[in-house]
Amino acid sequence: MGRVAIEQGYFTIPDDPAEPPRLLGSKCPRCGEHFYPRRLVCARCLHQGTEAVLLGPTGRLHTWTYVHVPLFAKKDGSVDAYGVGQVDLPEGPRVQAILVGGPDDFEIGMELELDLETLSSDEDGNDVVIYRFKPTAGSGRVA
Amino acid sequence: MRIEGAAVAGIGMVRFGRYPERSGAELARDAGLAALHDAGITLADVDEAYVGYIQPAAMVGIKAMKELGLTGLPVTHIENASATGLVAFREAAWAVASGRAEVAMALGFDKMTDMARGAPSRGMGRDQLDSTILPAAYFALWAQRRMHDHGTRPEHFAAIAAKNWNHGALNPLSHRQTDHTVTVDEVLASRMVAEPLTAMMACPADDGAACAIVASTDWVQRHQPDRRMVRPIASALQSEAYSPGHTFLGPVVGPATMTSTTARLAYEDAGLGPDDMHLALCHDAFANEELEYYELLGFCAEGEGEKLLDAGDTALGGRIPFNTDGGLIARGHPGGPTGLAMVHEIVTQLRGEAGARQVEGARRGLAHLVGGGSVCTVNLFEAD
């Protein structure tokens, strides 16, 4: 039994559960722009043939909201309210994802770190995981 | 390029609402027949049709068209998410302006309540990571950032929602009808959906159909000599332009610059500017959008939207009334027909037939929609 991604091709699942995942991104060898998720053609200079890179695991919160209805698309029906944010990775891409924490835990500009959450288990007994962002230690909301 | 030689010959719509007992094809038929009747023609006179809908099944549009007749006319399906209806109209207008058709139809319909109930939808089977988050959340993210940048308060968003609910009460074709004046406090007190957006700041999920018939100005002059002619004069359509920090994954609002760029192109095509408009309809699926579009459509400078709102300039009776028919929030937003309901409202206003919500002396109007965070269209209309 191990951990499997809800969908292949978007993020790593480290062997060590204490290690944060990374996002599977692309870098343009000509203009240097980074992208998430992976793409073949550079969206900035239209160069064909980007390089595979790993992005994150930290970023800064650009904006966030707290949603008061059950998690959309029933990925996790037990969750009736949750945070959503846009996170700016140091490499450039802005990533939209679920946030870990309560309605009072977030502030624009705070540092967040990628984290894996278990949603369910598959028929082989593996944990099915999705990535989310959580506040890094010490980056809690300034009082 | 300015649209020359085309005019709206007929409009019709089925009031948006919930129609569990009626099929989308029936709704489309009734809107189509209303528009044909308004134009004084039958399908035999229509040279070409563009049918727009968001619902996922293939060839639904041509099946709906058969309810109006089987005349062999060319039918093209259009799908651009929320912008579908205006894009179908744009194609009909250009089919006439190009000379290819003398009379063209744009027909939109959808049953969003079927999709909301979990019928097979386009979203299923797509990237799963792409469909995790509630649509209200993307707009709430935009609202939260504006509050951070400009000091906007939830009361501003509530004031826009209340205005549009109250506009809707003056429109017999609005889905939502209230028996009292909706207040800012009432909007703020409604159920919280995604902070700071409450349920009354959001459009409903509903069903409906709307249709517009475009004909050459010669045809309209000949057949409708006693009616004030309303002409589409510009239609700009843009998709996203890349800029650093672009969000690719997950349904998103899309770059705000998409609206300002599209509006600029439409104004340039028409040789006009925002000061020349007398009313505007915009994509207010969530109330904070309308505040942003005051600025992005050029009606005030960046960061000045709250002043425009507070002055009452965007309410009926103000300098540039927005969403005079109730907007997506009150009139409704089934998807495919939404843009054609906007055409219906602008034509009604420019004909001077809007009754209690008439914008006095209105001669020019603007209709804006975004679709799926990936496209934007701005359309300008002018009456003689």
Side-chain angles (χ1 to χ4, degrees):
Chain A
M1 295 197 302
R3 297 189 292 175
V4 296
I6 185 173
E7 197 170 358
Q8 294 294 318
Y10 291 93
F11 56 95
T12 65
I13 300 177
D15 293 336
D16 177 2
E19 196 182 318
R22 311 284 302 278
L23 296 179
L24 303 177
S26 300
K27 181 184 180 184
C28 175
R30 187 162 82 185
C31 75
E33 197 81 344
H34 288 79
F35 302 99
Y36 174 76
R38 285 190 171 154
R39 53 182 294 120
L40 179 69
V41 178
C42 174
R44 184 176 172 206
C45 75
L46 305 184
H47 175 77
Q48 296 171 22
T50 55
E51 297 164 354
V53 292
L54 297 177
L55 304 174
T58 60
R60 296 260 166 208
L61 191 59
H62 172 72
T63 181
W64 65 277
T65 182
Y66 204 75
V67 181
H68 293 262
V69 293
L71 199 53
F72 194 53
K74 305 284 187 287
K75 296 298 183 294
D76 186 349
S78 66
V79 176
D80 59 2
Y82 56 99
V84 175
Q86 290 183 344
V87 180
D88 290 333
L89 301 179
E91 298 89 351
R94 180 167 294 163
V95 180
Q96 191 164 274
I98 305 290
L99 303 178
V100 180
D104 299 323
D105 293 338
F106 307 110
E107 188 171 62
I108 287 173
M110 75 190 300
E111 188 181 58
L112 301 164
E113 185 178 51
L114 280 164
D115 181 47
L116 290 179
E117 293 260 335
T118 300
L119 296 175
S120 59
S121 55
D122 67 13
E123 47 201 30
D124 299 323
N126 295 304
D127 287 341
V128 177
V129 296
I130 190 170
Y131 67 84
R132 303 184 180 196
F133 281 94
K134 65 176 182 185
T136 54
S139 80
R141 188 174 171 147
V142 180
Chain B
M1 192 187 296
R2 188 179 165 101
I3 300 173
E4 302 281 4
V8 179
I11 52 173
M13 72 181 274
V14 174
R15 179 185 162 197
F16 296 171
R18 292 175 187 206
Y19 295 102
E21 309 302 328
R22 303 187 62 196
S23 70
E26 279 178 61
L27 299 174
R29 176 199 65 200
D30 289 353
L33 288 175
L36 289 168
H37 187 256
D38 186 51
I41 58 175
T42 70
L43 195 68
D45 302 301
V46 178
D47 300 314
E48 193 153 347
Y50 295 88
V51 191
Y53 55 93
I54 298 178
Q55 57 186 280
M59 300 304 279
V60 172
I62 197 145
K63 287 174 186 158
M65 280 298 299
K66 289 182 206 174
E67 300 290 327
L68 299 172
L70 292 81
T71 63
L73 86 170
V75 177
T76 304
H77 294 79
I78 302 268
E79 192 269 305
N80 256 354
S82 292
T84 293
L86 280 178
V87 176
F89 179 84
R90 164 188 162 87
E91 291 305 321
W94 273 111
V96 170
S98 71
R100 191 170 83 186
E102 183 156 50
V103 179
M105 171 185 276
L107 175 65
F109 65 97
D110 259 312
K111 291 200 72 184
M112 200 59 71
T113 55
D114 284 355
M115 285 183 262
R117 273 202 306 271
S121 83
R122 201 183 302 275
M124 298 171 82
R126 247 172 41 168
D127 293 349
Q128 293 193 299
L129 282 167
D130 215 19
S131 61
T132 311
I133 300 167
L134 187 80
Y138 335 132
F139 292 96
L141 291 169
W142 198 14
Q144 291 275 35
R145 185 69 205 195
R146 184 180 179 95
M147 290 165 69
H148 179 267
D149 290 343
H150 294 295
T152 312
R153 290 176 289 110
E155 285 79 2
H156 291 115
F157 306 138
I160 289 171
K163 168 182 77 67
N164 291 351
W165 277 84
N166 293 328
H167 285 177
L170 301 174
N171 175 13
L173 288 171
S174 175
H175 173 176
R176 285 167 159 169
Q177 301 281 345
T178 58
D179 57 3
H180 63 284
T181 300
V182 172
T183 64
V184 167
D185 287 345
E186 182 181 352
V187 174
L188 289 173
S190 63
R191 184 173 52 87
M192 181 58 72
V193 177
E195 296 175 18
L197 301 178
T198 65
M200 284 184 74
M201 297 182 198
C203 65
D206 49 14
D207 312 323
C211 182
I213 291 165
V214 183
S216 70
T217 49
D218 287 347
W219 188 99
V220 174
Q221 265 158 5
R222 219 162 47 237
H223 290 83
Q224 302 174 354
D226 300 326
R227 183 188 260 172
R228 191 183 298 164
M229 191 190 293
V230 178
R231 290 169 287 113
I233 54 172
S235 176
L237 173 65
Q238 291 279 289
S239 59
E240 295 161 281
Y242 178 76
S243 63
H246 189 90
T247 305
F248 284 94
L249 188 64
V252 293
V253 167
T257 50
M258 200 163 52
T259 285
S260 52
T261 303
T262 310
R264 184 173 44 76
L265 291 171
Y267 291 138
E268 282 174 9
D269 283 351
L272 297 169
D275 289 347
D276 298 309
M277 297 298 130
H278 303 119
L279 72 148
L281 281 80
C282 74
H283 188 275
D284 62 326
F286 297 91
N288 64 300
E289 291 184 83
E290 185 176 310
L291 185 64
E292 300 283 356
Y293 299 139
Y294 295 160
E295 301 169 8
L296 295 166
L297 293 170
F299 292 101
C300 63
E302 185 183 345
E304 304 280 314
E306 292 83 354
K307 277 189 204 161
L308 198 72
L309 173 71
D310 290 344
D313 284 349
T314 59
L316 279 168
R319 180 165 68 79
I320 176 70
F322 259 70
N323 292 320
T324 50
D325 63 346
L328 277 60
I329 286 175
R331 177 248 296 138
H333 179 35
T338 303
L340 289 159
M342 289 178 153
V343 174
H344 192 284
E345 172 66 4
I346 287 184
V347 171
T348 302
Q349 288 279 358
L350 300 194
R351 283 178 179 171
E353 297 172 354
R357 65 182 193 288
Q358 180 64 47
V359 177
E360 286 306 316
R363 284 191 58 242
R364 293 192 201 92
L366 176 152
H368 156 275
L369 282 173
V370 289
S374 299
V375 299
C376 178
T377 184
V378 173
N379 299 264
L380 306 181
F381 296 79
E382 186 172 73
D384 290 339

